[in-house]
Every structure is written in structure tokens, then in C-alpha cells.
Amino acid sequence: MPTALYQTPALKNLTGPVLRPGGLELTRESVMKSDLKPGDRVLDVGCGSGAAGHMLNREFFLDCVGIDVDLGLFTSGNRIPVAKAAAQGLPFKSDSLKAVFCECVLSLTPNMMATLGEFYRVLEPGGQLILCDVYLRNKAHCRELKKMPLACGFRKGVGRKDIHEYVAGTGFEHIQWEDLSYLLTQLAGQAIFEHGSLEHFWAEVFGGECGASRRACGAIRASRPGYFRIIARKKLYNCHGQTVLGI
């Protein structure tokens, strides 16, 4: 079973408690781009330490709850309700949430389409999916990436077209794509500053295994990874022009 990148001290030291490019500032920006209002019930999928959910509640007065498969990451000072659950089996009623935040988590799930289907199910008609994750601009090296002894989004080998088809195929509409690949560049620069090179960073991730770090670094570089944000909506009307709720 590959080690999860988010569990490695090397990444935690690089990103802080949110364990993803862009940090809390990206989450704040996503809220500003949405139409969420104080009191709206939202879900943070893969909430980790709970820092993002705590910020959503404190700064935007949302009613955020979190789920994660590993509650060992949760910090008690982040006061949000949390539950141990997988993204593809959410413990929420259908049509019960105003928004689902899924930041750098979808690519780690076993079945991305099934996971997106769960997001669609729990959202209210017109509810918003706020999705950030990695993608590949060159998929020719997918086979090498899948050999990495590390669970990270790069191993899924999905491109922009794949992501868009998954989201649209689930039923979401008004899909707004925003390329945020500069955030990966910033993170890589930070890794180089702190470790001397990306190979040294990956060597620490792999526990000092230089051969594995060189292969991983080469495959990732050749795949030209990017980072994106999608904001999409659950359909408000069905194919007959009626509201999804039948009103």
C-alpha cells in the first residue's frame, strides 16, 4: 500500500496544516467566488486538521462540517464537527448541503466518478461544488507515475479534459474552470529553497531513497503537472423543465 504524500513530514513542513497548494487563502478566495451566505451548511471533504472548516465558520459564519478517512490529522483547537467517513460514502442526506469543498482530495479517492456522484447527491438543487486538485498536461508518463510508492494525485494521471468530463458526466452544470498551476510552481520553489532541490525534497519524502526520488522527480517533471479550481452547480431543473424538487 503506497504511503500517502499528505502523511509525510516533508509535505507537512512545507505547507503547514492545510497540506495543499494555496493554503487557506485559496479557500477564502473560493468562498468569495461562490454565492454562499452566513448560516449555509457546507462540507469540507478530507478536512485533515480542520483548519479550513474552522476558518469557514469563524470568518464567513458558515455551518461547516468535515469528514476524513484519517481523523488522526484533526486538531482539537479547530472547532468544527467531524466524522470519519470516505468521500464515496458520505453520511449525509440527499439534497442537504449548500456546498461541498473538495480541495486536493478527489484525485486520492479510489473512484472519482463515484465520489463526484456522492457530492451531487448530498448537494441541494443549485448547490455548489468547489473543487481544487492536480492534473497532468502531459499524460504520456502515467505508467511511470503509477509505479511511485506514494499515494498522491499525480498517480491518477488525469488531464483537464478528463476532469471536465467527470464533473459534467455526473450532472453538474455551469462548470467554471480556473487554472491555478502557478500555485504548484510556488510550492516547488519553496521546496527548492528549503531542501536545495526538488530531488532532495523527494528524497526526504521517500525516506532517503535517492533512486526512487530521481525517478519520481523525472516522471513528475515530464508530466507537467498543473493545479485547477472548478466551481460547478447541481442542476436546479430536470430535463422536463421542472425544479429537481418537483416544485
Side-chain angles (χ1 to χ4, degrees):
M1 188 73 167
T3 301
L5 178 59
Y6 67 83
Q7 293 175 324
T8 63
L11 184 67
K12 293 177 182 178
N13 293 337
L14 204 61
T15 63
V18 291
L19 301 173
R20 60 175 179 267
L24 292 178
E25 190 54 40
L26 181 59
T27 308
R28 289 188 181 95
E29 188 181 278
S30 296
V31 177
M32 299 302 291
K33 288 177 177 284
S34 75
D35 59 6
L36 289 170
K37 299 177 178 61
D40 284 346
R41 193 166 191 239
V42 305
L43 171 65
D44 183 13
V45 176
C47 62
S49 70
H54 181 70
M55 181 273 292
L56 291 173
N57 289 347
R58 186 185 71 250
E59 296 185 15
F60 295 95
F61 306 104
L62 298 173
D63 179 11
C64 181
V65 295
I67 63 107
D68 206 305
V69 294
D70 184 3
L71 293 185
L73 299 171
F74 186 73
T75 302
S76 58
N78 294 319
R79 298 178 181 177
I80 65 166
V82 294
K84 184 174 182 178
Q88 61 270 23
L90 298 175
F92 298 94
K93 294 180 180 179
S94 300
D95 307 324
S96 62
L97 300 172
K98 281 285 189 180
V100 170
F101 287 79
C102 183
E103 300 178 290
C104 222
V105 173
L106 180 66
S107 60
L108 296 175
T109 63
N111 187 320
M112 295 171 68
M113 282 293 288
T115 299
L116 287 166
E118 271 294 89
F119 296 166
Y120 195 87
R121 179 185 67 80
V122 300
L123 282 169
E124 296 180 2
Q128 291 181 288
L129 170 64
I130 297 169
L131 175 66
C132 301
D133 218 317
V134 296
Y135 74 103
L136 301 184
R137 287 172 281 189
N138 179 3
K139 295 167 59 178
H141 299 270
C142 291
R143 183 171 297 179
E144 289 86 349
L145 292 174
K146 291 181 187 298
K147 294 177 183 177
M148 289 171 56
L150 189 70
C152 66
F154 302 135
R155 297 178 81 244
K156 272 289 194 295
V158 294
R160 174 174 176 170
K161 183 179 178 182
D162 302 316
I163 296 292
H164 193 280
E165 288 179 351
Y166 293 162
V167 174
T170 307
F172 286 100
E173 58 184 10
H174 304 299
I175 301 169
Q176 302 172 46
W177 169 284
E178 186 176 359
D179 195 282
L180 303 173
S181 298
Y182 72 92
L183 293 174
L184 279 185
T185 303
Q186 289 179 356
L187 194 61
Q190 186 180 346
I192 292 170
F193 180 79
E194 294 190 14
H195 295 271
S197 71
L198 284 177
E199 284 195 8
H200 288 159
F201 166 73
W202 286 111
E204 184 170 334
V205 167
F206 287 110
E209 220 291 4
C210 296
S213 69
R214 281 195 297 270
R215 290 191 295 273
C217 195
I220 292 171
R221 185 185 295 114
S223 298
R224 299 183 61 235
Y227 200 68
F228 71 89
R229 170 168 53 205
I230 278 178
I231 299 180
R233 288 187 183 276
K234 180 173 179 174
K235 289 180 180 178
L236 187 60
Y237 298 95
N238 63 22
C239 60
H240 303 293
Q242 300 169 315
T243 64
V244 176
L245 294 176
I247 299 173

